[in-house]
Amino acid sequence: MAPTLQWIDYAIILLYFAFVLGIGVVLRRYVRTSEDFFLSGRSIPAWVTGLAFISANLGAQEVIGMGASGAKYGIATSHFYWIGAIPAMVFIGIFMMPFYYGSRARSVPEYLKLRFDEKTRALNAVSFAAMTVLSSGVSMYAMGKLLNLLLGWNFDTSILLAAGIVLAYTFLGGLTSAIYNEVLQFFLIVLGFAPLVFLGLREVGGWSGLVSRLAARATSNGLPVDAYTRSWAHMGHAADNPIGIEWFGLVMGLGFVLSFGYWCTDFLVVQRAMAANSMSAARRTPLIAAFPKMLFPFLVILPGMLALAVHPASGVRATGGGPPAAVTQDASSPAGLTESNGIVPPKLDPTTGAPLRDLRGNIVLDYDLATPMMLIHFFPAGLLGLGLTALLASFMSGMAGNVTAFNTVWTYDLYQGYIRPGAPDSHYLTMGRVATVAGIAISVAAAYVAAAFNNIMDFLQLVFAFVNAPLFATFALGMFWKRASGHGAFVGLIAGMLGAAIHHGISLPVGASVGVKGGYLGTWVTFPSELAQTFWTAIVAWMTCFVVTILVSLMTTAKSAEQLQGLVHGLTPSMADQSRVWYERPAVLAVIVLSATVLLNVVFF
C-alpha cells in the first residue's frame, strides 16, 4: 500500500508545478530568436549558469541513481564525484571553455565541424541526440516508478503527466526556462534531502553507528569489514571492494575516460556554460559548480547507505502514512527481506510478484528504491511533500536538460545543417519547439528500456561508455594536437563505438543473463559487477578511438594552421585574466576546489 499524503504534501507539490509552469509563461516573452531559445541569448550570469551546470546533471538518475549506488557500493560511490567529476570540471573551466565559447559555436557538434569536418559533426550529432533521449528516458522511468511507489499512481500515467509538465515550460521558455528551473531545483534538493540525512544518521547512531551496521553486511557479502565505509582502502584487488574493480580500472575508466568524456564533451552541461554572459563567466561556470558538487555525496549517497542500515520497524512517519507493507516483512515473508537489507525492498517479478533472484540464487534488491523508501520511512506530513517535490524537481529538470540539448543539436546540427539550410531564423525557432515535442515523445519510449536495470546509474554509465568515452579521445587530440585530421576523427569515433560494442558483447557481469547487459557475442570475460564491466568498456572505447585517430590522421591531411586559429591549443592566443577580485579568477578557484577534493579523499580513504 502506498503512503497517504496529507493536504499539505499535495499543496507543496501543486505549488511547485504552478511555479515551474509560471517560469515558462513569464520567460516566453523574452524568446524572440533561435539563439534566445537554444542559448538564452548568451546573457546569463556566472552564478546562475554555475548552479544550472551542476543541476543539469542532478536529475532523477543522479538523485535516485546515486542513492541506489550508495546502497549497492557504499561510500565508494563518492568516486563518481571526487575523482569522477571534480578534476574534469576544473579541466573544462581552465582549458576547454576558451575553445568552446571563443569559437562562438552553438553546440559541441558544431565545434567538431569547425575543428574537423562535416561528417564528424554529423556522427557526433546523431549519437548525442540518441544518448540524450535515452538519458531522458531514464529520468522518466525513475519518476514513473517513484510516483507509482509513493502515490500509487499507474506507471504509464505518471510518465505522461510529468512529461506533459516538462514539455509545457520547455516549449514556452526554451533553455532560459530550463536553467532557472534548474536553479530552483538545486535549492529544493538541498532543503529536501538535508533533513533526510540528519534523521537517518540520528536513527543509526551517527557515522560510527552506520559504519558498525554496514560492517555486518560487508562480511556477509565476503568483503572486508569496512568495505562499504572506506573509499580507497580496498581498491587494490577487485574482490575486496563492492564495486568489483581495482584502482587502475577505477582511475582510468571512471576518473579519466568517463569523467572527462562527460563533463568536457557532453553538450547537456557545456550548453549551460555557453549561455554565460562573458568568457570569464563561462570559464567560472564549471568551477562554481564544483564547490557544491564535491559536497553532494553527503546528500545523495548517504541516504542509500542509510537505507541498508535503518531497521524496517523504526522510523518517525506521521500517522496516516507508513511504508508499504512489503517493507515491514521479515525474513520469512514472500518478499524475502531481512534486517540486513534495511528498508531496501527486493525487485519483484512483474508476472508472479515473487522476488527476482540472480543466477547464483541471491535475491535482487531494487536499489533504485533506496532513497524513496527513506523518504517514506522518515518524513512526516509536509516534510514528505517537500522531499517528494525535490525528487520531482530533479526528475523534471534532468529531463528538461536533456530535451533542451536534444532540440539544439537536432535543429542546428542536423536540420539546419542537412535538411533545411538557409531558412529564416523564425523557422528554426519553430523547429526547435517541434523538436522539443518529438524529443519528449521518444524519451517516453526509452523509459521502458531502463526498466531492465535494477540500478539506473549502471545503465547510464554504460550509455556514456559507448558515446562519451570515444568522443573524449577525439576532443583531446583535436584540441591539443593540430595534426589530427577530419578523416582521423571520424574513423576513430566509429572505431571507438565499435570497440565498446565488441567489448560489451564478449563480457558479462557475474549473475547476469545474456542480453542488454552484454554477452551477446559470447561470454569471454566475466566481471564482478556491471560497473566494472562498464569502466573497462569505456577504457577500450577510448583507447581504440585514440589509437585509430592518430594512425588515420598520420595518413591523411589535416586543416591548415590558419583554419585552426582559436580551435587548437598553441594556435590560440593566451588569455589574460582581467578579474580584479580573487574569487573571479578561474585559476584561484581551481586550486581551492582541487585542494578540498584531495582532503575529502584523504578523510574517507
Side-chain angles (χ1 to χ4, degrees):
M1 96 185 156
T4 303
L5 299 184
Q6 305 300 313
W7 69 267
I8 190 171
D9 299 315
Y10 284 109
I12 293 172
I13 296 170
L14 291 174
L15 180 63
Y16 170 71
F17 284 162
F19 202 88
V20 296
L21 291 173
I23 289 177
V25 172
V26 170
L27 293 177
R28 190 182 192 283
R29 71 184 67 177
Y30 300 103
V31 179
R32 301 184 181 90
T33 68
S34 63
E35 187 174 74
D36 293 335
F37 187 79
F38 296 118
L39 291 174
S40 301
R42 295 183 187 258
S43 61
I44 310 296
W47 75 269
V48 174
T49 56
L51 292 181
F53 190 91
I54 182 178
S55 295
N57 175 251
L58 200 60
Q61 64 262 43
E62 173 91 359
V63 175
I64 295 181
M66 282 302 177
S69 294
K72 191 174 184 179
Y73 306 120
I75 198 63
T77 309
S78 64
H79 291 309
F80 282 95
Y81 294 81
W82 298 336
I83 69 163
I86 303 301
M89 293 168 78
V90 170
F91 186 81
I92 185 176
I94 297 296
F95 297 105
M96 295 183 71
M97 279 315 302
F99 300 113
Y100 282 135
Y101 198 90
S103 68
R104 302 297 293 181
R106 298 169 298 181
S107 67
V108 168
E110 189 167 53
Y111 172 83
L112 288 174
K113 171 191 173 182
L114 297 173
R115 174 57 186 89
F116 294 113
D117 54 23
E118 279 285 359
K119 62 180 180 294
T120 306
R121 171 204 199 181
L123 178 61
N124 176 241
V126 171
S127 61
F128 177 78
M131 185 182 71
T132 54
V133 292
L134 277 175
S135 182
S136 184
V138 169
S139 288
M140 279 193 167
Y141 160 71
M143 193 51 51
K145 189 173 183 179
L146 175 71
L147 294 177
N148 177 259
L149 170 74
L150 295 183
L151 304 180
W153 291 2
N154 177 270
F155 179 81
D156 302 321
T157 303
S158 302
I159 285 180
L160 293 176
L161 175 65
I165 295 173
V166 173
L167 173 62
Y169 77 75
T170 307
F171 186 90
L172 293 171
L175 179 63
T176 306
S177 180
I179 284 178
Y180 280 100
N181 272 303
E182 285 160 1
V183 174
L184 171 64
Q185 169 218 1
F186 173 84
F187 291 107
L188 279 173
I189 290 292
V190 174
L191 292 174
F193 282 82
L196 184 65
V197 174
F198 171 78
L199 291 172
L201 285 174
R202 187 181 67 173
E203 172 69 25
V204 302
W207 176 255
S208 60
L210 180 62
V211 170
S212 176
R213 295 197 185 195
L214 292 182
R217 180 173 180 82
T219 53
S220 68
N221 288 338
L223 297 170
V225 67
D226 54 356
Y228 285 97
T229 51
R230 297 185 66 181
S231 59
W232 285 102
H234 304 293
M235 285 294 168
H237 300 283
D240 292 341
N241 63 81
I243 293 182
I245 195 167
E246 74 295 336
W247 70 268
F248 177 80
L250 177 78
V251 173
M252 183 67 179
L254 174 63
F256 181 65
V257 177
L258 284 173
S259 171
F260 282 71
Y262 176 77
W263 292 103
C264 297
T265 69
D266 195 308
F267 184 55
L268 168 64
V269 290
V270 173
Q271 186 181 29
R272 273 70 191 152
M274 292 174 72
N277 57 14
S278 69
M279 172 68 81
S280 175
R283 297 184 72 197
R284 281 184 279 125
T285 291
L287 299 172
I288 291 171
F291 284 94
K293 184 70 175 178
M294 76 173 75
L295 300 177
F296 258 86
F298 303 112
L299 284 181
V300 297
I301 294 174
L302 270 182
M305 297 172 64
L306 288 164
L308 290 177
V310 172
H311 193 283
S314 66
V316 294
R317 284 283 291 125
T319 302
V327 178
T328 60
Q329 291 171 337
D330 58 28
S332 64
S333 69
L337 287 177
T338 66
E339 182 178 340
S340 64
N341 292 337
I343 56 175
V344 180
K347 195 175 183 69
L348 302 179
D349 188 304
T351 303
T352 65
L356 291 174
R357 295 180 181 271
D358 60 26
L359 296 181
R360 294 177 295 182
N362 298 321
I363 289 178
V364 178
L365 295 182
D366 203 339
Y367 292 109
D368 288 337
L369 295 182
T371 297
M373 294 310 302
M374 285 286 288
L375 290 174
I376 296 171
H377 188 73
F378 278 116
F379 278 2
L383 206 53
L384 180 60
L386 180 62
L388 179 57
T389 301
L391 284 179
L392 286 168
S394 71
F395 155 70
M396 292 196 293
S397 292
M399 182 179 170
N402 281 292
V403 170
T404 54
F406 170 81
N407 63 27
T408 303
V409 168
W410 162 260
T411 304
Y412 279 153
D413 294 293
L414 297 175
Y415 185 78
Q416 184 182 27
Y418 304 105
I419 300 174
R420 182 76 184 277
D425 184 76
S426 59
H427 179 78
Y428 297 124
L429 176 58
T430 301
M431 175 49 62
R433 290 195 163 110
V434 171
T436 301
V437 177
I440 287 182
I442 299 172
S443 298
V444 171
Y448 294 91
V449 177
F453 286 72
N454 73 320
N455 181 343
I456 58 176
M457 187 53 65
D458 289 351
F459 171 70
L460 203 60
Q461 294 301 320
L462 180 62
V463 174
F464 291 159
F466 272 76
V467 178
N468 286 357
L471 182 61
F472 175 57
T474 303
F475 268 89
L477 289 170
M479 286 187 170
F480 298 98
W481 187 44
K482 63 182 180 181
R483 186 66 182 79
S485 69
H487 293 309
F490 180 75
V491 176
L493 276 175
I494 292 178
M497 287 186 278
L498 287 175
I502 292 172
H503 181 270
H504 188 250
I506 64 172
S507 61
L508 200 65
V510 171
S513 302
V514 174
V516 294
K517 295 186 179 182
Y520 39 83
L521 298 178
T523 309
W524 295 10
V525 184
T526 302
F527 288 95
S529 68
E530 292 168 15
L531 270 186
Q533 178 198 33
T534 296
F535 290 167
W536 279 104
T537 298
I539 292 171
V540 169
W542 186 87
M543 292 183 64
T544 302
C545 181
F546 193 82
V547 171
V548 170
T549 300
I550 291 176
L551 293 176
V552 175
S553 293
L554 292 175
M555 295 184 290
T556 54
T557 303
K559 287 186 174 182
S560 65
E562 291 75 19
Q563 292 174 302
L564 298 178
Q565 290 288 334
L567 300 172
V568 180
H569 184 73
L571 298 177
T572 303
S574 300
M575 294 180 52
D577 195 340
Q578 303 296 328
S579 302
R580 296 184 178 182
V581 291
W582 65 268
Y583 54 81
E584 290 185 352
R585 296 173 185 168
V588 174
L589 294 176
V591 170
I592 295 173
V593 74
L594 287 176
S595 299
T597 303
V598 170
L599 179 62
L600 286 169
N601 275 290
V602 171
V603 169
F604 290 93
F605 185 89

